[in-house]
Amino acid sequence: MHGPASSGWLLVALCAVTGTYCLARMRGGTEGQRSAAGGEALMGFGMAAMAVPTTVFTPPAWAWPVYAAVFGAAGVHALWAARAGSHHLHHLVGTAAMVYMSLVMAGSPTHGHGRGGSGVPLLTGALLLYFAGYVLLAGVRLVPVAAVAGGGGAAGWGDRPELARACRLSMGIAMVAMLLTL
């Protein structure tokens, strides 16, 4: 690594690619799968925007409250959707983490990317523990299992569950990296 700018660009690339794939996943599947993919696309692109190194672009002071409002609205949607399935509870935690990071960055004196440890240590630690556990669980879920003989036809590249899991894993890793900078 060559400093924070290179890690920032890696996070931007990872999150943007993940968001793009999630947009592609919105074209197929059931309504619930499309909705989940849309929420994950929003998270991916939002995380990519927040990870842009400050040496290239420092968002204006009003951008952080806008991020908080957008992710707050996404959190309300995830809370509403959680009635149908517990998977949306993870989206709720993710949007809450994004709101938290946006508010921390809005309150930082430099309006930068979390320089100076201005977050609430207990809340940051709890979010770090949650996402670290999520990353470990998502990684275990990616371990291949024996294929069932006579399985259905080949799925399109946008309908493969292991790719969706890989996207969730990459966003979890990115969330851990972003929380570590608070």
Side-chain angles (χ1 to χ4, degrees), residues 19 22-23 25-26 32-42 91 168:
C22 291
L23 279 180
R25 282 186 25 233
M26 288 180 64
Q33 290 170 332
R34 287 192 299 271
S35 175
E40 291 165 358
L42 175 67
H91 287 171
R168 291 182 194 117

Side-chain angles (χ1 to χ4, degrees), residues 1-94:
M1 287 233 247
H2 296 95
S6 62
S7 61
W9 283 119
L10 288 171
L11 278 175
V12 169
L14 177 70
C15 294
V17 167
T18 300
T20 302
Y21 176 73
C22 291
L23 279 180
R25 282 186 25 233
M26 288 180 64
R27 295 181 25 208
T30 65
E31 178 61 32
Q33 290 170 332
R34 287 192 299 271
S35 175
E40 291 165 358
L42 175 67
M43 290 294 289
F45 289 126
M47 290 169 69
M50 289 175 79
V52 172
T54 56
T55 57
V56 174
F57 176 71
T58 301
W62 57 264
W64 300 116
V66 169
Y67 285 156
V70 168
F71 286 108
V76 169
H77 181 268
L79 182 62
W80 183 257
R83 298 174 305 126
S86 62
H87 171 71
H88 295 286
L89 292 176
H90 172 69
H91 287 171
L92 181 61
V93 174

